[in-house]
Amino acid sequence: MTLNYEKEGKVAIFTLNRPEALNAIDPDLLGALSKAFCDFKKDDTLEVGIITGAGQRAFSIGADIKTMLPEMKRAQNNSYVQPPTIMRGLNLWKPLIAAINGAALGGGLELALACDIRIASEKAFMGLPEVNLGIIPGWGGTQRLMRLIPQAKAAEMLLTGKPIDAREAYRIGLINKVVEPDKLMSAALDMAELIMKPAPLAVRAAKQAMVQGLNLSLESGLRLEKSLFEMLATSGDFDEGCRAMLEKRKPEFKCR
Ligand code: HXC
């Protein structure tokens, strides 16, 4: 199986599982990712997802140059349609954490960029080397990196294709945390626990407002925020959150 998709309580764990190919994304893996993201989206028991790579060396080195990129070339003649993923085509408001265990290059970094939180091992390095192949990132790298980090740094990464190490990625705000390699998954699970404490509907609405709002004018963004706020204001979890706060107890959110 090119992807291990496991459910541990309310957490879904997606492990790219082609360690012998440094978790390069081939059409099979892309299809499996798409299916798993769709299941995660509709499974009401799941709240947070963690994406990581099998093996010690790589999170993912991007689209498989031997199989995936040729398919994309053929796609110019409409013979291959990419399945929807978080990089492109699938809106997913449940939070996602990338646990970057090694190299995250090209489409591998783009997968991590489509997550909300990125935690990296000290051994990780990341970059968008597509220009070296004569292409540009095609899974959102040019758009999401420019919105995430200072533009001068994004331009340097996109125009030179040179990777940066985890410390530098942390310094420029590309990742949230750097940890020792053997602490990576526990750090990601700790972050998932923190995200699962507040009301899930509110967390999802916060993500939707943040992600969709980035592409809107301030005025439209404020309208989006207002409509999501109004939706939450009628929820039972809002009543429960306020009551629990006043009664000095832990809230019991029911996701409605
Ligand atoms: C398939 C790849 C590959 C890739 C490397 N290899 N990158 N195979 N797809 N993306 C293969 C090499 O050919 C080699 O195969 C083996 O992996 C190990 O690579 P080496 O270079 O020999 O090893 P090393 O010196 O350790 O360097 C590893 C590396 C380096 C840091 C990952 O190979 C590298 O920088 N690769 C470039 C990755 C890249 O360009 N990614 C972007 C892809 S485009 P053999 O058979 O010799 O062992 C992309 C676009 C996404 O992601 C958007 C699409 C719409």
Side-chain angles (χ1 to χ4, degrees):
M1 296 241 277
T2 54
L3 178 75
N4 282 344
Y5 174 51
E6 295 155 305
K7 302 180 183 183
E8 288 186 12
K10 297 175 181 173
V11 181
I13 301 180
F14 306 76
T15 308
L16 310 187
N17 190 30
R18 299 187 69 216
E20 72 292 349
L22 302 176
N23 300 318
I25 300 173
D26 64 0
D28 225 42
L29 176 51
L30 191 70
L33 268 173
S34 175
K35 269 200 194 125
F37 287 138
C38 291
D39 179 85
F40 174 62
K41 180 173 176 160
K42 69 171 196 289
D43 186 334
D44 290 337
T45 66
L46 296 171
E47 284 184 20
V48 177
I50 297 175
I51 306 176
T52 193
Q56 306 292 318
R57 290 187 62 199
F59 174 75
S60 168
I61 58 169
D64 193 308
I65 295 173
K66 296 162 197 158
T67 54
M68 186 82 239
L69 291 183
E71 285 289 0
M72 288 177 171
K73 200 171 167 137
R74 277 195 286 279
Q76 303 311 312
N77 309 321
N78 288 331
S79 64
Y80 175 73
V81 179
Q82 278 191 45
T85 61
I86 54 167
M87 292 89 88
R88 186 183 279 282
L90 181 71
N91 281 335
L92 186 49
W93 306 132
K94 292 180 184 177
L96 288 167
I97 300 165
I100 305 173
N101 51 307
L105 297 173
L109 179 56
E110 296 181 272
L111 174 61
L113 289 173
C115 295
D116 308 293
I117 305 268
R118 282 159 290 282
I119 301 176
S121 140
E122 284 166 346
K123 293 200 173 146
F125 59 97
M126 48 211 85
L128 293 170
E130 282 92 338
V131 285
N132 294 322
L133 300 172
I135 51 172
I136 59 171
W139 285 333
T142 58
Q143 303 306 302
R144 293 195 174 97
L145 195 66
M146 284 296 278
R147 285 162 168 79
L148 182 67
I149 63 172
Q151 290 183 2
K153 285 289 166 192
E156 194 175 326
M157 288 178 72
L158 281 156
L159 301 180
T160 67
K162 272 186 71 177
I164 58 173
D165 64 24
R167 293 269 157 221
E168 173 70 351
Y170 177 72
R171 199 183 68 76
I172 63 176
L174 175 46
I175 59 179
N176 298 68
K177 217 176 209 180
V178 186
V179 297
E180 289 166 31
D182 60 345
K183 306 238 166 73
L184 181 64
M185 275 318 275
S186 63
L189 285 163
D190 286 350
M191 182 64 78
E193 284 298 328
L194 284 179
I195 295 172
M196 290 190 299
K197 275 193 180 142
L201 290 181
V203 167
R204 285 172 214 168
K207 173 166 177 175
Q208 184 179 348
M210 290 186 308
V211 173
Q212 286 189 323
L214 269 181
N215 304 319
L216 300 174
S217 65
L218 179 61
E219 203 183 332
S220 307
L222 290 173
R223 258 200 306 277
L224 169 66
E225 184 186 74
K226 184 167 179 280
S227 72
L228 290 165
F229 186 99
E230 284 167 357
M231 182 268 291
L232 293 169
T234 63
S235 71
D237 282 355
F238 175 48
D239 293 336
E240 168 61 8
C242 293
R243 249 196 324 268
M245 171 63 83
L246 295 174
E247 292 167 8
K248 300 188 193 311
R249 62 172 173 81
K250 258 179 73 178
E252 280 178 41
F253 294 120
K254 301 251 164 46
C255 222
R256 38 176 209 258

